[in-house]
Each structure stands twice: as C-alpha cells, then as structure tokens.
Amino acid sequence: RIALDEIIARSAALSSTQTLHVSASITSGTHTYGTLETPRVTLIEDGATPIELSGGAVINGVGILLVPRVVQLKNATLNWRGLVLIMGDGDVRVADAAACGQILGSVVIRDDASIDRKFDLDRAGGTGSCAPFAVNYSCETTIRSWALLSQTVSWTEKFDG
C-alpha cells in the first residue's frame, strides 16, 4: 500500500507537460496519451458518473494510467502500454463484446474496502472485426512506466543535502 501511495504522490507532483487528463467520455475519433518516445502519466479525472469509451473510438496510450472512477469500454479500442492503477472507486469494465485492444504491462488494483468488482473482463468476446480485449503482462513495459516517476539524485544531493 505504501508503494501505491508513493505512485499517486509522485504522479501528482509531475509537471503539466508530463501529465494528461481525461475528464469526459470518448465516443469517436483516435486519441493518443503518450507514445513510446514520450510516455505520459494519464489521469482519468475523478467524478460520480462513469467515463465511457464507445462509438468506435480508438484510445492509444503509453505510460501510467490512473483510474479513480469507473471506465466502461464498449464499442471502442483501448491499447495501453504500461501500468494501469485502479484505485478508490475506480473500475475498468469491458461492457460490450465489441471492445477491442489490450493492456500490455501491468494492472494494479488498490481496493480500499470496496466489495464491488474492480476489473471486469466478463464481456470480452471479440466480434470478428477484432480480437477480444486482453491483458498481457510485460515486465519491460512496466519498468519503462515506472521510469516516469523515478527521480535522479546526484551524489551531492544525496550526501551533501
């Protein structure tokens, strides 16, 4: 739990050029949140209503995805390379068999005593136009994501300060 708290604290301390935000549903178009060359921390902004990914939208991202509210993946494609941290009231739900894409990296769930599901892939099925939504672990991708939060400390900072 301490490590997850540190991830959240370090993410909050990042500059605005390193952090991207999603505050509303995405229902069309192609959206990119970080690339292999410039990974980002992306925050699904907290809120009472679910964020819906639908309407054939394509969401590509690289880095760390922070999920403090419900995200419903419907008729859309989510391709994420990195770490997905589901926390608080957050939840990622594949709500439609037409959901496509994958998470390549790691998914960490910080459950603060909620009895609800936090990561529901029950409806992942594929429709013929794409493979079913999947999660595939990648140590390399996870480590690259952690690097977004690492701090370089020089010898003089460490021992002279």
Side-chain angles (χ1 to χ4, degrees):
R1 180 173 168 101
I2 293 170
L4 296 178
D5 289 340
E6 187 171 329
I7 290 172
I8 295 165
R10 285 188 182 189
S11 296
L14 293 172
S15 70
S16 60
T17 61
Q18 293 177 293
T19 307
L20 303 172
H21 296 267
V22 176
S23 59
S25 293
I26 300 172
T27 58
S28 64
T30 299
H31 306 266
T32 301
Y33 299 94
T35 64
L36 290 173
E37 296 78 25
T38 55
R40 297 285 187 249
V41 172
T42 302
L43 172 64
I44 304 289
E45 292 184 0
D46 206 0
T49 59
I51 292 279
E52 188 174 289
L53 308 178
S54 63
V58 177
I59 299 90
N60 298 308
V62 178
I64 297 173
L65 178 62
L66 301 171
V67 184
R69 76 193 276 187
V70 175
V71 174
Q72 295 179 337
L73 181 60
K74 294 187 175 181
N75 180 22
T77 300
L78 172 63
N79 291 307
W80 194 268
R81 295 174 69 98
L83 174 66
V84 177
L85 175 58
I86 302 169
M87 56 195 179
D89 292 328
D91 184 359
V92 174
R93 298 178 187 162
V94 175
D96 188 332
C100 302
Q102 73 170 340
I103 296 171
L104 178 64
S106 300
V107 176
V108 177
I109 301 170
R110 177 180 163 188
D111 194 352
D112 296 326
S114 173
I115 59 171
D116 293 338
R117 292 181 176 180
K118 292 291 185 179
F119 192 57
D120 187 356
L121 302 180
D122 288 349
R123 296 204 177 160
T127 61
S129 63
C130 67
F133 185 79
V135 177
N136 296 299
Y137 175 74
S138 168
C139 182
E140 178 184 357
T141 304
T142 301
I143 290 170
R144 286 179 184 219
S145 296
W146 283 107
L148 284 169
L149 302 177
S150 66
Q151 297 173 337
T152 302
V153 178
S154 72
W155 179 264
T156 55
E157 284 179 277
K158 183 72 174 171
F159 295 104
D160 292 340

